[in-house]
Structure formats: C-alpha cells, structure tokens
Amino acid sequence: MAEVSRISRGDGARQRMLTAALDVLDETGLAGFTMEAIARRAGASKATLYRRWPTTGALLVDAMDATFRPFPAPDTGSVTSDVTQILTAFVTMLERTPFPRLLAAFIDAAERDPALSKLHTDLTNRRREPLLVVLRRGRDRGELPPDSDPELTTDLLTSPFFYRHFVAHRPITADMIDEVVARVLSPKS
C-alpha cells in the first residue's frame, strides 16, 4: 500500500509541475519561462525540476504533450464523419483553451533552439497521426482516391483553422468545418 501512495504522490507532483510550467508560460511568455519561476509556482525546488527535466525545453515539451494529448482517431465508417469529429475537437481546443497562446510561445522557442525544434517536430507528428490514420483508412476503404496523399490532405484540412485563428484573427464560423471537409475531401469531377 505504501508503494501505491508513493506513486500517486509522485504522479500528483509531476502533474503539479507540468501545470505550473504551462501557467508560467501563459502568464509571462517565453521570457519568464524559467526553472525558478516554475519551481516557485509549483511549490517545488529547482533541483526537483532538474531531476525530472534537464532543460526548460524538455519541461515545455513534456507539459504540452501531457496537457494537450492527440485526439483519438474515430472510426465511424465514414472518412467525412471521422475528419469532422477530429476537426471539431481541434477547433474547440483553439477557441476554449489556452492552447493557442501556449503553442505560439512554443513555436517561438522552437525557432530559437535547435534541440527544441526537433522535439516540436516530434510533438507535431504525434498530433497529426490521428488525422493521418483516418485519411489512410478512408483511402483504403475507397472513400478517397487511391493516389490521395494523407500528409498533404492533413495540411489542407487544418491550415484554414490555423490561419483564421493565428493570422487573420477572424472567427471560425459554425459551418466552416463542414465546408472545409467538403471542399478538401470531395472527389474531383
């Protein structure tokens, strides 16, 4: 029983540190994202943080990965329905969580740090995987052309939402998901 409670406390402490890291990033940006600030926020020592994460970059990647998990790959039997479910969850995350602000800071950090850039690429690839799975499955079922490129299709499906939110600062309308899905997945005539 002592082992179980020690593991639970360890998991709770880790989660507290990951949450503190994202809170610090959200409030102070990359300039204030230091082990000292995170330790203070988490009620832990810097040594405790460094035992788990050798750099602030490693902590940032772990915090983003643990907090904003990839969406599950649905399998409704329809590629259109599956893609719509994933994009709906994605838009909800963009509009109702601190993810966009945190992602902007994370991208900025990755541009400045080659090691963090590699970690950012790995994290991004894991987040793309559910949509790639759904698109490959749809292609295998004959719902998409046999020569369709899931990587490019993923870019075409997600880019309008990133652009609207991060660049144009325009609202994502209620019908935008359905319209993007229809335009990208509709067969060419």
Side-chain angles (χ1 to χ4, degrees), residues 119-168:
L119 295 171
H120 178 250
T121 298
D122 294 343
L123 186 65
T124 299
N125 288 339
R126 282 195 304 279
R127 296 203 185 307
R128 291 171 60 87
E129 191 58 30
L131 197 50
L132 292 168
V133 165
V134 163
L135 293 170
R136 286 184 198 113
R137 192 183 308 133
R139 183 182 59 196
D140 293 346
R141 286 192 305 240
E143 295 177 87
L144 299 173
D147 63 344
S148 65
D149 179 353
E151 290 284 345
L152 178 58
T153 305
T154 295
D155 293 342
L156 293 170
L157 287 165
T158 58
S159 295
F161 304 102
F162 274 107
Y163 182 83
R164 278 268 173 117
H165 191 83
F166 288 109
V167 178

Coordinates of all heavy atoms in Angstrom, one line a residue, residues 119-168:
L119 N 12.2 18.4 -30.9 CA 11.1 18.0 -30.0 C 9.8 18.5 -30.5 O 8.8 17.8 -30.5 CB 11.4 18.4 -28.6 CG 12.6 17.8 -27.9 CD1 12.9 18.5 -26.6 CD2 12.5 16.3 -27.8
H120 N 9.7 19.7 -31.0 CA 8.5 20.3 -31.5 C 8.0 19.5 -32.7 O 6.8 19.2 -32.9 CB 8.7 21.8 -31.9 CG 7.5 22.4 -32.5 ND1 7.5 22.8 -33.8 CD2 6.3 22.7 -32.0 CE1 6.3 23.3 -34.1 NE2 5.6 23.2 -33.0
T121 N 8.9 19.1 -33.6 CA 8.6 18.3 -34.8 C 8.0 17.0 -34.3 O 7.0 16.5 -34.9 CB 9.8 18.1 -35.6 OG1 10.3 19.4 -36.1 CG2 9.5 17.2 -36.8
D122 N 8.6 16.3 -33.4 CA 8.1 15.0 -32.9 C 6.7 15.2 -32.3 O 5.8 14.4 -32.5 CB 9.0 14.5 -31.8 CG 10.4 14.1 -32.3 OD1 10.5 13.9 -33.6 OD2 11.3 13.9 -31.5
L123 N 6.5 16.2 -31.5 CA 5.2 16.5 -30.9 C 4.2 16.8 -32.0 O 3.0 16.2 -31.9 CB 5.3 17.7 -30.0 CG 4.2 18.1 -29.1 CD1 3.9 17.0 -28.1 CD2 4.5 19.4 -28.4
T124 N 4.5 17.6 -33.0 CA 3.6 17.9 -34.1 C 3.2 16.6 -34.8 O 2.0 16.4 -35.2 CB 4.2 18.9 -35.0 OG1 4.4 20.1 -34.2 CG2 3.3 19.2 -36.2
N125 N 4.2 15.7 -35.1 CA 3.9 14.5 -35.8 C 2.9 13.6 -35.0 O 2.1 13.0 -35.6 CB 5.2 13.7 -36.1 CG 6.0 14.4 -37.2 OD1 5.5 15.2 -38.0 ND2 7.3 14.1 -37.2
R126 N 3.1 13.6 -33.7 CA 2.2 12.8 -32.9 C 0.7 13.3 -33.0 O -0.2 12.6 -33.0 CB 2.6 12.7 -31.4 CG 3.8 11.7 -31.2 CD 4.0 11.4 -29.8 NE 4.2 12.5 -28.9 CZ 5.4 13.1 -28.7 NH1 6.4 12.7 -29.4 NH2 5.5 14.1 -27.9
R127 N 0.6 14.6 -33.0 CA -0.7 15.3 -33.1 C -1.3 15.1 -34.4 O -2.6 15.1 -34.5 CB -0.6 16.8 -32.8 CG -0.1 17.0 -31.4 CD -0.5 18.4 -30.9 NE 0.0 18.7 -29.6 CZ -0.1 17.9 -28.5 NH1 -0.7 16.8 -28.6 NH2 0.4 18.3 -27.4
R128 N -0.6 15.0 -35.5 CA -1.1 14.8 -36.8 C -1.6 13.3 -37.1 O -2.4 13.1 -37.9 CB 0.0 15.1 -37.9 CG 0.3 16.6 -38.0 CD 1.5 16.8 -38.9 NE 1.4 16.3 -40.2 CZ 0.8 17.0 -41.2 NH1 0.4 18.3 -41.0 NH2 0.7 16.6 -42.4
E129 N -1.0 12.4 -36.3 CA -1.3 11.0 -36.6 C -2.7 10.6 -36.6 O -3.1 9.8 -37.5 CB -0.5 10.1 -35.5 CG -0.4 8.7 -35.9 CD 0.2 8.4 -37.3 OE1 1.1 9.1 -37.7 OE2 -0.3 7.4 -37.9
P130 N -3.6 11.0 -35.7 CA -5.0 10.6 -35.8 C -5.7 10.9 -37.1 O -6.4 10.1 -37.7 CB -5.7 11.3 -34.6 CG -4.6 11.5 -33.6 CD -3.4 11.8 -34.5
L131 N -5.4 12.1 -37.6 CA -6.0 12.5 -38.9 C -5.4 11.7 -40.0 O -6.1 11.3 -40.9 CB -5.8 14.0 -39.1 CG -6.6 14.7 -40.1 CD1 -8.1 14.4 -40.0 CD2 -6.4 16.2 -40.1
L132 N -4.1 11.4 -40.0 CA -3.5 10.6 -41.0 C -4.0 9.2 -41.0 O -4.3 8.6 -42.0 CB -1.9 10.5 -40.7 CG -1.2 11.9 -41.0 CD1 0.2 11.7 -40.5 CD2 -1.2 12.2 -42.4
V133 N -4.3 8.6 -39.8 CA -4.9 7.3 -39.7 C -6.3 7.3 -40.3 O -6.6 6.4 -41.1 CB -5.0 6.9 -38.2 CG1 -5.9 5.7 -38.0 CG2 -3.6 6.6 -37.6
V134 N -7.1 8.3 -40.0 CA -8.4 8.4 -40.6 C -8.4 8.5 -42.1 O -9.2 7.9 -42.8 CB -9.2 9.6 -39.9 CG1 -10.4 10.0 -40.7 CG2 -9.5 9.2 -38.5
L135 N -7.5 9.3 -42.6 CA -7.4 9.5 -44.1 C -6.9 8.3 -44.8 O -7.4 7.9 -45.8 CB -6.5 10.7 -44.4 CG -7.1 12.1 -43.9 CD1 -6.0 13.2 -44.0 CD2 -8.3 12.4 -44.7
R136 N -5.9 7.6 -44.2 CA -5.4 6.3 -44.8 C -6.5 5.3 -44.8 O -6.7 4.6 -45.8 CB -4.2 5.8 -44.0 CG -2.9 6.6 -44.3 CD -1.8 5.9 -43.5 NE -0.7 6.9 -43.4 CZ -0.2 7.4 -42.3 NH1 -0.7 7.0 -41.1 NH2 0.8 8.3 -42.3
R137 N -7.3 5.2 -43.7 CA -8.4 4.3 -43.6 C -9.4 4.6 -44.7 O -9.9 3.7 -45.3 CB -9.0 4.3 -42.2 CG -9.9 3.2 -41.9 CD -10.6 3.3 -40.6 NE -9.7 3.5 -39.5 CZ -9.8 4.4 -38.5 NH1 -10.8 5.2 -38.5 NH2 -8.9 4.5 -37.5
G138 N -9.7 5.9 -44.8 CA -10.7 6.3 -45.9 C -10.2 5.9 -47.3 O -11.0 5.5 -48.1
R139 N -8.9 6.1 -47.5 CA -8.4 5.8 -48.8 C -8.4 4.3 -49.0 O -8.8 3.8 -50.1 CB -6.9 6.3 -48.9 CG -6.3 6.0 -50.2 CD -4.8 6.5 -50.3 NE -4.1 5.7 -49.2 CZ -2.9 6.1 -48.8 NH1 -2.3 7.2 -49.3 NH2 -2.3 5.4 -47.9
D140 N -8.1 3.5 -48.0 CA -8.2 2.0 -48.1 C -9.6 1.5 -48.3 O -9.8 0.5 -49.0 CB -7.6 1.4 -46.8 CG -6.1 1.6 -46.7 OD1 -5.4 2.1 -47.6 OD2 -5.6 1.4 -45.6
R141 N -10.6 2.2 -47.8 CA -12.0 1.8 -48.0 C -12.5 2.3 -49.3 O -13.7 2.1 -49.6 CB -12.9 2.4 -46.9 CG -12.7 1.7 -45.5 CD -13.7 2.0 -44.5 NE -13.9 3.5 -44.3 CZ -13.7 4.1 -43.1 NH1 -13.4 3.3 -42.0 NH2 -13.8 5.3 -43.0
G142 N -11.8 3.1 -50.1 CA -12.2 3.6 -51.4 C -13.0 4.9 -51.3 O -13.6 5.3 -52.3
E143 N -13.0 5.5 -50.1 CA -13.8 6.8 -50.0 C -12.9 8.0 -50.5 O -13.5 9.0 -50.8 CB -14.1 7.0 -48.5 CG -15.0 6.1 -47.9 CD -15.2 6.3 -46.4 OE1 -16.1 7.2 -46.1 OE2 -14.5 5.8 -45.6
L144 N -11.6 7.8 -50.6 CA -10.7 8.8 -51.2 C -10.0 8.2 -52.3 O -9.8 7.0 -52.4 CB -9.7 9.3 -50.1 CG -10.3 9.9 -48.9 CD1 -9.2 10.2 -47.8 CD2 -11.1 11.2 -49.2
P145 N -9.6 9.0 -53.3 CA -8.8 8.4 -54.4 C -7.6 7.7 -54.0 O -7.0 8.0 -53.0 CB -8.4 9.7 -55.2 CG -9.3 10.8 -54.8 CD -9.7 10.4 -53.4
P146 N -7.2 6.6 -54.7 CA -6.1 5.8 -54.3 C -4.8 6.5 -54.3 O -3.9 6.1 -53.5 CB -6.1 4.6 -55.3 CG -7.1 5.0 -56.4 CD -7.9 6.1 -55.9
D147 N -4.7 7.6 -55.0 CA -3.4 8.3 -55.1 C -3.4 9.5 -54.1 O -2.6 10.4 -54.2 CB -3.1 8.8 -56.5 CG -4.1 9.7 -57.1 OD1 -5.3 9.8 -56.5 OD2 -3.8 10.4 -58.1
S148 N -4.5 9.6 -53.3 CA -4.5 10.8 -52.4 C -3.4 10.7 -51.4 O -2.9 9.6 -51.0 CB -5.9 10.8 -51.6 OG -6.0 9.7 -50.8
D149 N -2.8 11.9 -51.0 CA -1.7 12.0 -50.1 C -2.2 12.4 -48.7 O -2.6 13.6 -48.6 CB -0.7 13.0 -50.7 CG 0.5 13.3 -49.8 OD1 0.5 12.8 -48.7 OD2 1.4 14.0 -50.3
P150 N -2.2 11.5 -47.8 CA -2.7 11.9 -46.4 C -2.0 13.1 -45.8 O -2.6 13.9 -45.1 CB -2.6 10.6 -45.6 CG -2.6 9.5 -46.6 CD -1.9 10.1 -47.8
E151 N -0.7 13.2 -46.0 CA 0.1 14.3 -45.4 C -0.4 15.6 -46.0 O -0.7 16.5 -45.2 CB 1.6 14.1 -45.7 CG 2.2 13.0 -44.9 CD 2.5 13.3 -43.5 OE1 2.4 14.5 -43.1 OE2 2.8 12.3 -42.7
L152 N -0.5 15.7 -47.3 CA -1.0 17.0 -47.9 C -2.4 17.2 -47.5 O -2.8 18.4 -47.2 CB -0.8 16.9 -49.4 CG -1.3 18.1 -50.2 CD1 -0.6 19.4 -49.7 CD2 -1.2 17.9 -51.7
T153 N -3.3 16.2 -47.5 CA -4.7 16.4 -47.1 C -4.8 16.9 -45.7 O -5.6 17.7 -45.4 CB -5.4 15.1 -47.4 OG1 -5.3 14.6 -48.7 CG2 -6.9 15.3 -47.1
T154 N -4.0 16.4 -44.8 CA -4.0 16.9 -43.4 C -3.6 18.4 -43.4 O -4.3 19.1 -42.7 CB -3.0 16.1 -42.6 OG1 -3.4 14.7 -42.5 CG2 -2.8 16.6 -41.2
D155 N -2.6 18.8 -44.2 CA -2.3 20.2 -44.2 C -3.5 21.0 -44.7 O -3.8 22.1 -44.2 CB -1.1 20.4 -45.1 CG 0.2 19.8 -44.6 OD1 0.3 19.5 -43.4 OD2 1.1 19.6 -45.4
L156 N -4.1 20.5 -45.8 CA -5.2 21.3 -46.4 C -6.4 21.4 -45.5 O -7.1 22.4 -45.5 CB -5.6 20.6 -47.7 CG -4.6 20.7 -48.8 CD1 -5.0 19.7 -50.0 CD2 -4.4 22.1 -49.3
L157 N -6.6 20.3 -44.7 CA -7.8 20.3 -43.7 C -7.5 21.2 -42.5 O -8.5 21.9 -42.0 CB -8.1 18.9 -43.3 CG -8.7 18.0 -44.3 CD1 -8.6 16.5 -43.8 CD2 -10.2 18.4 -44.5
T158 N -6.3 21.3 -42.0 CA -6.1 22.0 -40.8 C -5.7 23.4 -41.0 O -5.9 24.3 -40.1 CB -5.0 21.3 -39.9 OG1 -3.8 21.1 -40.7 CG2 -5.5 19.9 -39.5
S159 N -5.0 23.7 -42.1 CA -4.5 25.1 -42.3 C -5.5 26.2 -42.3 O -5.2 27.3 -41.7 CB -3.7 25.1 -43.7 OG -2.6 24.3 -43.6
P160 N -6.7 26.0 -42.8 CA -7.6 27.2 -42.7 C -8.0 27.6 -41.3 O -8.1 28.8 -41.0 CB -8.9 26.6 -43.4 CG -8.4 25.5 -44.3 CD -7.2 24.9 -43.6
F161 N -8.0 26.6 -40.4 CA -8.3 26.9 -39.0 C -7.1 27.6 -38.3 O -7.3 28.6 -37.5 CB -8.7 25.7 -38.2 CG -9.9 25.0 -38.9 CD1 -9.7 23.9 -39.7 CD2 -11.2 25.5 -38.9 CE1 -10.7 23.3 -40.4 CE2 -12.2 25.0 -39.6 CZ -12.0 23.8 -40.3
F162 N -5.9 27.2 -38.6 CA -4.7 27.8 -38.0 C -4.7 29.3 -38.6 O -4.4 30.2 -37.8 CB -3.4 27.1 -38.4 CG -3.0 26.0 -37.5 CD1 -3.2 24.7 -37.9 CD2 -2.5 26.3 -36.2 CE1 -2.8 23.7 -37.0 CE2 -2.2 25.3 -35.4 CZ -2.3 24.0 -35.7
Y163 N -4.9 29.4 -39.9 CA -4.8 30.7 -40.5 C -5.9 31.7 -39.9 O -5.5 32.8 -39.5 CB -5.0 30.6 -42.0 CG -4.9 32.0 -42.7 CD1 -3.6 32.5 -43.0 CD2 -6.0 32.8 -42.9 CE1 -3.5 33.8 -43.5 CE2 -5.9 34.0 -43.5 CZ -4.6 34.5 -43.8 OH -4.5 35.8 -44.3
R164 N -7.1 31.2 -39.8 CA -8.2 32.1 -39.3 C -7.8 32.5 -37.8 O -8.0 33.7 -37.5 CB -9.5 31.3 -39.2 CG -10.3 31.3 -40.5 CD -11.3 32.5 -40.5 NE -11.9 32.5 -41.8 CZ -13.2 32.3 -42.1 NH1 -14.0 32.1 -41.1 NH2 -13.6 32.4 -43.3
H165 N -7.4 31.6 -37.0 CA -7.2 31.9 -35.6 C -5.9 32.7 -35.4 O -5.9 33.7 -34.7 CB -7.1 30.6 -34.8 CG -7.2 30.8 -33.3 ND1 -8.4 31.1 -32.7 CD2 -6.2 31.0 -32.4 CE1 -8.1 31.3 -31.4 NE2 -6.8 31.2 -31.2
F166 N -4.8 32.2 -35.9 CA -3.5 32.8 -35.6 C -3.1 34.0 -36.5 O -2.4 34.9 -36.0 CB -2.4 31.8 -35.7 CG -2.4 30.7 -34.6 CD1 -2.8 29.4 -34.9 CD2 -2.0 31.1 -33.3 CE1 -2.8 28.5 -33.8 CE2 -2.0 30.2 -32.3 CZ -2.4 28.9 -32.6
V167 N -3.5 34.0 -37.7 CA -3.0 35.1 -38.6 C -4.1 36.1 -38.9 O -3.9 37.3 -38.7 CB -2.6 34.4 -40.0 CG1 -2.2 35.5 -41.0 CG2 -1.5 33.4 -39.8
A168 N -5.3 35.7 -39.3 CA -6.4 36.6 -39.6 C -7.1 37.1 -38.4 O -7.8 38.1 -38.5 CB -7.3 36.0 -40.6

